[in-house]
Amino acid sequence: MKLLEGKTAIVTGAARGIGKEIALKYASEGCNIAFTDLVIDENGKKTEEEIAAYGVKCKGYASNAADFAATEKTVEEIKADFGSIDILVNNAGITKDGLMLRMTEQQWDAVIAVNLKSAFNYIHAVLPIMMRQKSGSIINMASVVGVHGNAGQSNYAASKAGLIALAKSIAQEVGSRGIRANAIAPGFIETAMTEALPAEVRKEWCQKIPLRRGGKVEDIANVATFLASDMSGYVTGQVIQVDGGMNM
């Protein structure tokens, strides 16, 4: 039997990147997928088709994760379409980097809203459903910079640190209802964004990593699958760093 057979997951910001990889991995393990993004364009439709090819139910929802009312409406639609919500992956995120002295209020507010408030919105919306089911797994996609900070990314680091504390707090609040909450803190992961960096910058990053390489999106998806499955049934309130040992 597949690890997530018959379960339903919401993965936010999953039309591309790490979110998409997690959704595909979940689908390969028998999980039905509801994914969200700001718009479901041709790229989103392609993602929908790729996920559905695993023989699971899949639907993409155009929704602003940072909007509380829109999130409530989207979750209601997902519950009506799928019947249950067993897994929530809060993956939606943006960056607007800059040194604190030059950072604008808009840069700060935008990152906090999309990265952190969106997780509050979705957790708030799915908890009543999971509590009635007496089960559920919530996974917040954090970052190693949420653990140790990073110059020029105070807004991003603060949002990711918030996701870690949020997962730990939710784990304490609803553990007695059979609901688990954890965070994943990726390190230097090879994505389209990191591929755009100069070769010397990427090489310098890898030299700081004990495994001497960047991570793959599959590395994140594998840990997300573990946390979503019954294999991690006694794991809650944890932050798992997937960083090749970069931040020991």
Side-chain angles (χ1 to χ4, degrees):
M1 184 174 175
K2 294 180 178 179
L3 285 176
L4 304 177
E5 191 76 49
K7 294 189 177 184
T8 295
I10 297 176
V11 186
T12 67
R16 59 189 64 78
I18 290 175
K20 177 179 177 179
E21 191 67 31
I22 290 172
L24 287 167
K25 178 66 176 178
Y26 281 8
S28 75
E29 291 293 347
C31 190
N32 298 313
I33 303 294
F35 72 91
T36 74
D37 221 301
L38 269 177
V39 295
I40 302 299
D41 51 16
E42 287 184 12
N43 194 52
K45 289 294 183 183
K46 183 181 177 184
T47 295
E48 204 173 55
E49 292 170 3
E50 289 178 40
I51 293 170
Y54 283 99
V56 299
K57 184 174 181 178
C58 176
K59 185 175 178 181
Y61 297 80
S63 181
N64 180 2
D67 185 311
F68 184 84
T71 296
E72 293 280 332
K73 183 174 182 292
T74 300
V75 170
E76 287 175 7
E77 292 176 6
I78 293 170
K79 178 64 167 62
D81 290 341
F82 288 82
S84 67
I85 298 171
D86 306 290
I87 302 154
L88 168 64
V89 181
N90 287 308
N91 172 74
I94 61 170
T95 58
K96 288 185 179 292
D97 298 346
L99 295 172
M100 177 57 76
L101 283 174
R102 299 193 185 96
M103 185 173 290
T104 66
E105 182 182 18
Q106 186 276 332
Q107 286 175 306
W108 177 271
D109 288 348
V111 170
I112 297 298
V114 175
N115 296 9
L116 182 56
K117 184 173 183 287
S118 66
F120 160 76
N121 293 343
Y122 269 91
I123 292 171
H124 191 276
V126 306
L127 270 186
I129 298 167
M130 290 183 171
M131 289 174 76
R132 284 193 294 272
Q133 295 171 175
K134 293 185 169 59
S135 67
S137 176
I138 296 168
I139 302 165
N140 287 349
M141 196 58 56
S143 168
V144 291
V145 305
V147 178
H148 62 69
N150 195 35
Q153 285 193 309
S154 58
N155 51 0
Y156 185 76
S159 72
K160 295 302 185 177
L163 285 172
I164 291 170
L166 177 60
K168 290 176 177 290
S169 299
I170 296 301
Q172 293 181 43
E173 287 187 21
V174 295
S176 63
R177 303 298 186 94
I179 302 166
R180 299 179 295 108
N182 294 284
I184 297 174
F188 186 76
I189 306 300
E190 294 178 359
T191 63
M193 184 173 68
T194 57
E195 285 175 9
L197 294 171
E200 59 271 20
V201 172
R202 295 177 64 194
K203 183 178 179 180
E204 184 180 345
W205 267 97
C206 290
Q207 288 303 311
K208 298 175 182 177
I209 300 169
L211 291 184
R212 295 295 188 270
R213 65 173 179 85
K216 307 289 186 183
V217 288
E218 295 95 323
D219 296 321
I220 307 301
N222 288 338
V223 174
T225 301
F226 166 72
L227 290 176
S229 75
D230 293 339
M231 290 180 69
S232 60
Y234 202 55
V235 179
T236 194
Q238 303 304 308
V239 51
I240 299 180
Q241 297 179 171
V242 187
D243 61 4
M246 180 173 69
N247 186 40
M248 292 188 193

